[in-house]
PDB file of all heavy atoms in Angstrom:
ATOM      1  N   ASP Z 164      67.701 104.630 125.215  1.00 60.00           N
ATOM      2  CA  ASP Z 164      67.181 104.442 126.505  1.00 60.00           C
ATOM      3  C   ASP Z 164      67.338 102.855 126.945  1.00 60.00           C
ATOM      4  O   ASP Z 164      67.515 102.444 128.038  1.00 60.00           O
ATOM      5  CB  ASP Z 164      65.644 104.704 126.595  1.00 60.00           C
ATOM      6  CG  ASP Z 164      65.464 106.264 126.383  1.00 60.00           C
ATOM      7  OD1 ASP Z 164      66.482 107.039 126.664  1.00 60.00           O
ATOM      8  OD2 ASP Z 164      64.401 106.659 126.094  1.00 60.00           O
ATOM      9  N   ALA Z 165      67.085 101.914 125.997  1.00 60.00           N
ATOM     10  CA  ALA Z 165      67.091 100.541 126.131  1.00 60.00           C
ATOM     11  C   ALA Z 165      68.482 100.137 126.659  1.00 60.00           C
ATOM     12  O   ALA Z 165      68.637  99.489 127.666  1.00 60.00           O
ATOM     13  CB  ALA Z 165      66.664  99.722 125.030  1.00 60.00           C
ATOM     14  N   LEU Z 166      69.449 100.698 125.946  1.00 60.00           N
ATOM     15  CA  LEU Z 166      70.839 100.312 126.232  1.00 60.00           C
ATOM     16  C   LEU Z 166      71.254 100.919 127.625  1.00 60.00           C
ATOM     17  O   LEU Z 166      72.037 100.344 128.363  1.00 60.00           O
ATOM     18  CB  LEU Z 166      71.825 100.735 125.179  1.00 60.00           C
ATOM     19  CG  LEU Z 166      71.673  99.913 123.887  1.00 60.00           C
ATOM     20  CD1 LEU Z 166      72.547 100.651 122.810  1.00 60.00           C
ATOM     21  CD2 LEU Z 166      72.149  98.611 124.060  1.00 60.00           C
ATOM     22  N   SER Z 167      70.735 102.117 127.911  1.00 57.00           N
ATOM     23  CA  SER Z 167      71.118 102.815 129.211  1.00 57.00           C
ATOM     24  C   SER Z 167      70.512 102.097 130.304  1.00 57.00           C
ATOM     25  O   SER Z 167      71.039 102.228 131.400  1.00 57.00           O
ATOM     26  CB  SER Z 167      70.625 104.258 129.073  1.00 57.00           C
ATOM     27  OG  SER Z 167      71.201 105.002 128.087  1.00 57.00           O
ATOM     28  N   ASN Z 168      69.426 101.353 130.187  1.00 56.00           N
ATOM     29  CA  ASN Z 168      68.764 100.656 131.142  1.00 56.00           C
ATOM     30  C   ASN Z 168      69.359  99.256 131.406  1.00 56.00           C
ATOM     31  O   ASN Z 168      68.863  98.605 132.301  1.00 56.00           O
ATOM     32  CB  ASN Z 168      67.194 100.549 130.902  1.00 56.00           C
ATOM     33  CG  ASN Z 168      66.570 101.936 130.981  1.00 56.00           C
ATOM     34  OD1 ASN Z 168      66.990 102.777 131.788  1.00 56.00           O
ATOM     35  ND2 ASN Z 168      65.419 102.031 130.317  1.00 56.00           N
ATOM     36  N   GLU Z 169      70.399  98.915 130.610  1.00 58.00           N
ATOM     37  CA  GLU Z 169      71.059  97.601 130.854  1.00 58.00           C
ATOM     38  C   GLU Z 169      71.692  97.630 132.379  1.00 58.00           C
ATOM     39  O   GLU Z 169      72.015  98.717 132.832  1.00 58.00           O
ATOM     40  CB  GLU Z 169      72.128  97.291 129.871  1.00 58.00           C
ATOM     41  CG  GLU Z 169      71.634  97.110 128.467  1.00 58.00           C
ATOM     42  CD  GLU Z 169      71.031  95.694 128.252  1.00 58.00           C
ATOM     43  OE1 GLU Z 169      71.398  94.875 129.090  1.00 58.00           O
ATOM     44  OE2 GLU Z 169      70.276  95.484 127.289  1.00 58.00           O
ATOM     45  N   ASP Z 170      71.790  96.441 132.884  1.00 48.00           N
ATOM     46  CA  ASP Z 170      72.403  96.261 134.216  1.00 48.00           C
ATOM     47  C   ASP Z 170      73.696  97.053 134.444  1.00 48.00           C
ATOM     48  O   ASP Z 170      74.644  96.559 133.850  1.00 48.00           O
ATOM     49  CB  ASP Z 170      72.520  94.723 134.558  1.00 48.00           C
ATOM     50  CG  ASP Z 170      72.856  94.580 136.002  1.00 48.00           C
ATOM     51  OD1 ASP Z 170      72.851  95.499 136.769  1.00 48.00           O
ATOM     52  OD2 ASP Z 170      73.209  93.330 136.312  1.00 48.00           O
ATOM     53  N   SER Z 171      73.606  98.143 135.115  1.00 61.00           N
ATOM     54  CA  SER Z 171      74.953  98.847 135.347  1.00 61.00           C
ATOM     55  C   SER Z 171      75.840  98.092 136.227  1.00 61.00           C
ATOM     56  O   SER Z 171      77.036  98.583 136.514  1.00 61.00           O
ATOM     57  CB  SER Z 171      74.600 100.311 135.812  1.00 61.00           C
ATOM     58  OG  SER Z 171      73.856 100.153 137.063  1.00 61.00           O
ATOM     59  N   ALA Z 172      75.363  97.090 136.897  1.00 67.00           N
ATOM     60  CA  ALA Z 172      76.171  96.424 137.991  1.00 67.00           C
ATOM     61  C   ALA Z 172      77.151  95.267 137.195  1.00 67.00           C
ATOM     62  O   ALA Z 172      77.926  94.658 137.914  1.00 67.00           O
ATOM     63  CB  ALA Z 172      75.349  95.629 138.923  1.00 67.00           C
ATOM     64  N   ARG Z 173      76.964  95.270 135.915  1.00 85.00           N
ATOM     65  CA  ARG Z 173      77.904  94.208 135.253  1.00 85.00           C
ATOM     66  C   ARG Z 173      79.286  94.641 135.449  1.00 85.00           C
ATOM     67  O   ARG Z 173      79.652  95.849 135.446  1.00 85.00           O
ATOM     68  CB  ARG Z 173      77.543  94.317 133.772  1.00 85.00           C
ATOM     69  CG  ARG Z 173      76.474  93.440 133.140  1.00 85.00           C
ATOM     70  CD  ARG Z 173      76.266  93.707 131.678  1.00 85.00           C
ATOM     71  NE  ARG Z 173      75.758  92.570 130.952  1.00 85.00           N
ATOM     72  CZ  ARG Z 173      75.285  92.640 129.731  1.00 85.00           C
ATOM     73  NH1 ARG Z 173      75.340  93.883 129.086  1.00 85.00           N
ATOM     74  NH2 ARG Z 173      74.796  91.573 129.086  1.00 85.00           N
ATOM     75  N   PRO Z 174      80.111  93.605 135.460  1.00 90.00           N
ATOM     76  CA  PRO Z 174      81.521  93.907 135.734  1.00 90.00           C
ATOM     77  C   PRO Z 174      82.145  94.519 134.510  1.00 90.00           C
ATOM     78  O   PRO Z 174      81.772  94.335 133.367  1.00 90.00           O
ATOM     79  CB  PRO Z 174      82.272  92.559 135.940  1.00 90.00           C
ATOM     80  CG  PRO Z 174      81.296  91.629 135.359  1.00 90.00           C
ATOM     81  CD  PRO Z 174      79.823  92.152 135.522  1.00 90.00           C
ATOM     82  N   ARG Z 175      83.132  95.464 134.693  1.00 94.00           N
ATOM     83  CA  ARG Z 175      83.703  96.166 133.567  1.00 94.00           C
ATOM     84  C   ARG Z 175      84.657  95.151 132.914  1.00 94.00           C
ATOM     85  O   ARG Z 175      85.216  94.120 133.424  1.00 94.00           O
ATOM     86  CB  ARG Z 175      84.534  97.213 133.946  1.00 94.00           C
ATOM     87  CG  ARG Z 175      83.798  98.355 134.777  1.00 94.00           C
ATOM     88  CD  ARG Z 175      82.782  98.989 133.914  1.00 94.00           C
ATOM     89  NE  ARG Z 175      81.429  98.449 133.879  1.00 94.00           N
ATOM     90  CZ  ARG Z 175      80.347  98.748 133.261  1.00 94.00           C
ATOM     91  NH1 ARG Z 175      80.385  99.884 132.479  1.00 94.00           N
ATOM     92  NH2 ARG Z 175      79.246  98.196 133.343  1.00 94.00           N
ATOM     93  N   LEU Z 176      84.708  95.363 131.539  1.00 97.00           N
ATOM     94  CA  LEU Z 176      85.441  94.367 130.710  1.00 97.00           C
ATOM     95  C   LEU Z 176      86.906  94.831 130.505  1.00 97.00           C
ATOM     96  O   LEU Z 176      87.256  96.031 130.627  1.00 97.00           O
ATOM     97  CB  LEU Z 176      84.953  94.316 129.331  1.00 97.00           C
ATOM     98  CG  LEU Z 176      83.477  93.698 129.275  1.00 97.00           C
ATOM     99  CD1 LEU Z 176      82.958  93.760 127.787  1.00 97.00           C
ATOM    100  CD2 LEU Z 176      83.560  92.143 129.749  1.00 97.00           C
ATOM    101  N   LYS Z 177      87.790  93.806 130.270  1.00 97.00           N
ATOM    102  CA  LYS Z 177      89.175  94.159 129.825  1.00 97.00           C
ATOM    103  C   LYS Z 177      89.183  93.725 128.309  1.00 97.00           C
ATOM    104  O   LYS Z 177      89.036  92.612 128.001  1.00 97.00           O
ATOM    105  CB  LYS Z 177      90.092  93.270 130.684  1.00 97.00           C
ATOM    106  CG  LYS Z 177      90.181  93.645 132.126  1.00 97.00           C
ATOM    107  CD  LYS Z 177      91.117  92.704 132.816  1.00 97.00           C
ATOM    108  CE  LYS Z 177      92.601  93.340 132.654  1.00 97.00           C
ATOM    109  NZ  LYS Z 177      93.694  92.592 133.569  1.00 97.00           N
ATOM    110  N   ILE Z 178      89.466  94.833 127.507  1.00 98.00           N
ATOM    111  CA  ILE Z 178      89.312  94.600 126.117  1.00 98.00           C
ATOM    112  C   ILE Z 178      90.529  94.823 125.347  1.00 98.00           C
ATOM    113  O   ILE Z 178      91.290  95.922 125.521  1.00 98.00           O
ATOM    114  CB  ILE Z 178      88.204  95.541 125.539  1.00 98.00           C
ATOM    115  CG1 ILE Z 178      86.880  95.541 126.360  1.00 98.00           C
ATOM    116  CG2 ILE Z 178      87.976  95.441 124.086  1.00 98.00           C
ATOM    117  CD1 ILE Z 178      85.957  96.738 126.238  1.00 98.00           C
ATOM    118  N   ALA Z 179      91.058  93.885 124.423  1.00 98.00           N
ATOM    119  CA  ALA Z 179      92.200  94.176 123.742  1.00 98.00           C
ATOM    120  C   ALA Z 179      91.666  94.593 122.258  1.00 98.00           C
ATOM    121  O   ALA Z 179      90.924  93.859 121.784  1.00 98.00           O
ATOM    122  CB  ALA Z 179      92.884  92.817 123.589  1.00 98.00           C
ATOM    123  N   ILE Z 180      92.076  95.738 121.930  1.00 98.00           N
ATOM    124  CA  ILE Z 180      91.644  96.321 120.654  1.00 98.00           C
ATOM    125  C   ILE Z 180      92.873  96.162 119.596  1.00 98.00           C
ATOM    126  O   ILE Z 180      94.008  96.519 119.949  1.00 98.00           O
ATOM    127  CB  ILE Z 180      91.325  97.746 120.603  1.00 98.00           C
ATOM    128  CG1 ILE Z 180      90.161  97.951 121.584  1.00 98.00           C
ATOM    129  CG2 ILE Z 180      91.042  98.336 119.357  1.00 98.00           C
ATOM    130  CD1 ILE Z 180      88.797  97.485 121.112  1.00 98.00           C
ATOM    131  N   VAL Z 181      92.748  95.429 118.575  1.00 97.00           N
ATOM    132  CA  VAL Z 181      93.876  95.094 117.543  1.00 97.00           C
ATOM    133  C   VAL Z 181      93.496  95.862 116.263  1.00 97.00           C
ATOM    134  O   VAL Z 181      92.412  95.561 115.544  1.00 97.00           O
ATOM    135  CB  VAL Z 181      93.898  93.586 117.372  1.00 97.00           C
ATOM    136  CG1 VAL Z 181      95.104  93.444 116.344  1.00 97.00           C
ATOM    137  CG2 VAL Z 181      94.161  92.898 118.664  1.00 97.00           C
ATOM    138  N   THR Z 182      94.327  96.796 115.931  1.00 95.00           N
ATOM    139  CA  THR Z 182      94.057  97.535 114.665  1.00 95.00           C
ATOM    140  C   THR Z 182      95.282  97.880 113.893  1.00 95.00           C
ATOM    141  O   THR Z 182      96.324  98.209 114.600  1.00 95.00           O
ATOM    142  CB  THR Z 182      93.125  98.771 115.010  1.00 95.00           C
ATOM    143  OG1 THR Z 182      92.938  99.513 113.851  1.00 95.00           O
ATOM    144  CG2 THR Z 182      93.967  99.767 115.957  1.00 95.00           C
ATOM    145  N   GLU Z 183      95.358  97.924 112.635  1.00 92.00           N
ATOM    146  CA  GLU Z 183      96.351  98.361 111.811  1.00 92.00           C
ATOM    147  C   GLU Z 183      96.314  99.751 111.478  1.00 92.00           C
ATOM    148  O   GLU Z 183      97.193 100.356 110.745  1.00 92.00           O
ATOM    149  CB  GLU Z 183      96.509  97.400 110.657  1.00 92.00           C
ATOM    150  CG  GLU Z 183      96.481  95.967 111.084  1.00 92.00           C
ATOM    151  CD  GLU Z 183      97.025  94.952 110.076  1.00 92.00           C
ATOM    152  OE1 GLU Z 183      98.238  95.105 109.600  1.00 92.00           O
ATOM    153  OE2 GLU Z 183      96.348  94.005 109.803  1.00 92.00           O
ATOM    154  N   THR Z 184      95.331 100.485 111.742  1.00 89.00           N
ATOM    155  CA  THR Z 184      95.052 101.941 111.495  1.00 89.00           C
ATOM    156  C   THR Z 184      94.693 102.631 112.740  1.00 89.00           C
ATOM    157  O   THR Z 184      93.783 102.118 113.422  1.00 89.00           O
ATOM    158  CB  THR Z 184      94.196 102.193 110.395  1.00 89.00           C
ATOM    159  OG1 THR Z 184      94.254 103.599 110.053  1.00 89.00           O
ATOM    160  CG2 THR Z 184      92.884 101.702 110.696  1.00 89.00           C
ATOM    161  N   TRP Z 185      95.294 103.766 112.961  1.00 91.00           N
ATOM    162  CA  TRP Z 185      95.077 104.469 114.208  1.00 91.00           C
ATOM    163  C   TRP Z 185      95.370 105.950 114.045  1.00 91.00           C
ATOM    164  O   TRP Z 185      96.308 106.255 113.253  1.00 91.00           O
ATOM    165  CB  TRP Z 185      95.830 103.948 115.366  1.00 91.00           C
ATOM    166  CG  TRP Z 185      95.440 104.405 116.716  1.00 91.00           C
ATOM    167  CD1 TRP Z 185      96.064 105.444 117.440  1.00 91.00           C
ATOM    168  CD2 TRP Z 185      94.310 104.220 117.475  1.00 91.00           C
ATOM    169  NE1 TRP Z 185      95.443 105.691 118.620  1.00 91.00           N
ATOM    170  CE2 TRP Z 185      94.302 104.894 118.660  1.00 91.00           C
ATOM    171  CE3 TRP Z 185      93.105 103.380 117.280  1.00 91.00           C
ATOM    172  CZ2 TRP Z 185      93.281 104.887 119.533  1.00 91.00           C
ATOM    173  CZ3 TRP Z 185      92.144 103.298 118.152  1.00 91.00           C
ATOM    174  CH2 TRP Z 185      92.187 104.066 119.351  1.00 91.00           C
ATOM    175  N   PRO Z 186      94.661 106.927 114.582  1.00 90.00           N
ATOM    176  CA  PRO Z 186      95.285 108.399 114.491  1.00 90.00           C
ATOM    177  C   PRO Z 186      96.601 108.560 114.910  1.00 90.00           C
ATOM    178  O   PRO Z 186      97.080 107.721 115.872  1.00 90.00           O
ATOM    179  CB  PRO Z 186      94.180 109.148 115.396  1.00 90.00           C
ATOM    180  CG  PRO Z 186      92.951 108.313 115.511  1.00 90.00           C
ATOM    181  CD  PRO Z 186      93.523 106.876 115.458  1.00 90.00           C
TER     182      PRO Z 186
END
Side-chain angles (χ1 to χ4, degrees):
D164 292 343
L166 290 173
S167 298
N168 290 333
E169 290 283 343
D170 185 8
S171 60
R173 269 174 157 171
R175 301 296 91 178
L176 294 171
K177 298 183 77 174
I178 307 162
I180 302 288
V181 182
T182 179
E183 308 198 52
T184 182
W185 190 257

